[in-house]
């Protein structure tokens, strides 16, 4: 049994911030939004924050810690198929970070969320709300984006459901993914496939790099918030 530090603090803060932002965005869109007086305004501001969080994760996937980098968890189709076969037999290999299927899900989720947050900037309800970039597109384009925005919301519901199901499956197999995203540490019962003798990238990222990524991600949020 091995206990490893896998997720650094920025990744954990991003994850739970994303959970909160998505929950607030869905709540203000799918309900009457009580107790908020202007739920559409709250919905839009949740989208601005989500956009900043997503920008952070895309950047962190390039310069972040070992297991947060896309190069660590995006694997070849052959590896993906091999993992899926072993998963079906009940004996999948252990991974400290994202396993091959989980890595694909991460990217699909990030793409869907990024489109959702970005497309919302161009929308309007023609009454109370207009996105800060609505005036940059033609009316027909805005209507198309609005339709895609609603369709992608349904896709996100399916992706979130699949993610929750995966958490249950891994928990039944003895892997506590939720706990790892809280503490940053994961307990493994086998040698992980993504833990070479010498890690290809540093486990810890310079605080200055982290602050730089956070600052770059916060700039568009501040601009949109005050637009």
């Amino acid at each position: 049994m091995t206990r490893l530090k896998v997720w650094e603090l920025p990744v954990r803060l991003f994850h739970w911030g994303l959970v909160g932002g998505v929950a607030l965005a869905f709540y203000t869109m799918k309900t009457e939004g009580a107790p908020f007086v202007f739920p559409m305004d709250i919905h839009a501001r949740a989208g601005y924050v989500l956009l900043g969080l997503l920008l952070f994760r895309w950047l962190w996937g390039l310069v972040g810690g070992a297991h947060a980098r896309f190069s660590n968890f995006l694997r070849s189709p052959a590896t993906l198929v091999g993992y899926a076969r072993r998963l079906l037999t009940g004996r999948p290999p252990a991974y400290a970070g994202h396993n091959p299927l989980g890595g694909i899900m991460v990217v699909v989720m990030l793409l869907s969320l990024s489109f959702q947050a970005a497309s919302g900037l161009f929308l309007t309800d023609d009454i109370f709300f207009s996105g800060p970039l609505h005036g940059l597109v033609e009316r027909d384009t805005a209507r198309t984006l609005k339709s895609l925005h609603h369709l992608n919301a349904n896709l996100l519901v399916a992706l979130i459901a699949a993610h929750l199901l995966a958490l249950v499956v891994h928990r039944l197999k003895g892997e506590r993914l939720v706990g790892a995203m809280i503490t940053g540490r994961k307990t493994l019962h086998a040698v992980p496939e993504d833990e070479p003798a010498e890690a290809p990238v540093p486990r810890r990222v310079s605080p200055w790099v982290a602050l730089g990524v956070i600052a770059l991600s916060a700039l568009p949020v501040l601009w949109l918030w005050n637009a």
Side-chain angles (χ1 to χ4, degrees):
M1 184 177 294
T2 305
R3 187 168 173 81
L4 297 173
K5 180 64 177 295
V6 177
W7 305 120
E8 60 265 39
L9 182 60
V11 170
R12 286 178 277 150
L13 292 177
F14 156 80
H15 181 272
W16 296 114
L18 195 71
V19 170
V22 169
L24 181 59
F26 269 102
Y27 174 76
T28 51
M29 178 57 68
K30 301 298 184 181
T31 71
E32 294 181 356
F36 304 114
V37 179
F38 299 107
M40 194 61 203
D41 182 63
I42 300 299
H43 179 83
R45 293 184 184 278
Y48 302 158
V49 173
L50 287 171
L51 198 59
L53 288 170
L54 291 162
L55 178 57
F56 166 83
R57 188 61 183 91
W58 286 114
L59 293 174
W60 199 252
L62 301 176
V63 302
H67 296 296
R69 296 197 180 193
F70 299 120
S71 58
N72 176 269
F73 59 79
L74 291 181
R75 298 178 175 86
S76 68
T79 301
L80 187 65
V81 172
Y83 179 84
R85 286 176 176 172
R86 295 179 66 179
L87 180 64
L88 292 174
T89 65
R91 298 179 181 178
Y95 283 86
H98 296 297
N99 62 56
L101 289 177
I104 292 295
M105 176 61 78
V106 167
V107 173
V108 172
M109 185 80 79
L110 288 176
L111 287 171
S112 181
L113 285 167
S114 296
F115 174 80
Q116 195 70 2
S119 61
L121 302 177
F122 299 90
L123 305 188
T124 181
D125 62 3
D126 294 318
I127 303 175
F128 299 111
F129 172 80
S130 289
L133 303 184
H134 173 66
L136 299 181
V137 297
E138 299 292 334
R139 179 175 291 272
D140 288 344
T141 301
R143 287 175 176 171
T144 300
L145 286 173
K146 185 175 182 178
S147 296
L148 293 174
H149 190 80
H150 287 295
L151 287 173
N152 190 60
N154 295 329
L155 172 62
L156 277 171
V157 171
L159 291 174
I160 292 170
H163 178 62
L164 294 175
L165 178 61
L167 293 178
V168 173
V169 170
H170 281 277
R171 182 65 185 87
L172 292 175
K173 293 180 178 293
E175 191 174 1
R176 301 182 178 182
L177 299 182
V178 175
M181 194 53 71
I182 295 174
T183 65
R185 298 184 180 278
K186 183 183 289 189
T187 301
L188 299 168
H189 300 277
V191 177
E193 296 281 331
D194 53 346
E195 280 287 316
E198 295 183 3
V201 294
R203 291 185 180 278
R204 294 185 178 180
V205 180
S206 165
W208 295 109
V209 173
L211 287 174
V213 173
I214 292 171
L216 284 174
S217 305
L219 286 176
V221 178
L222 294 173
W223 179 79
L224 291 167
W225 196 276
N226 297 286

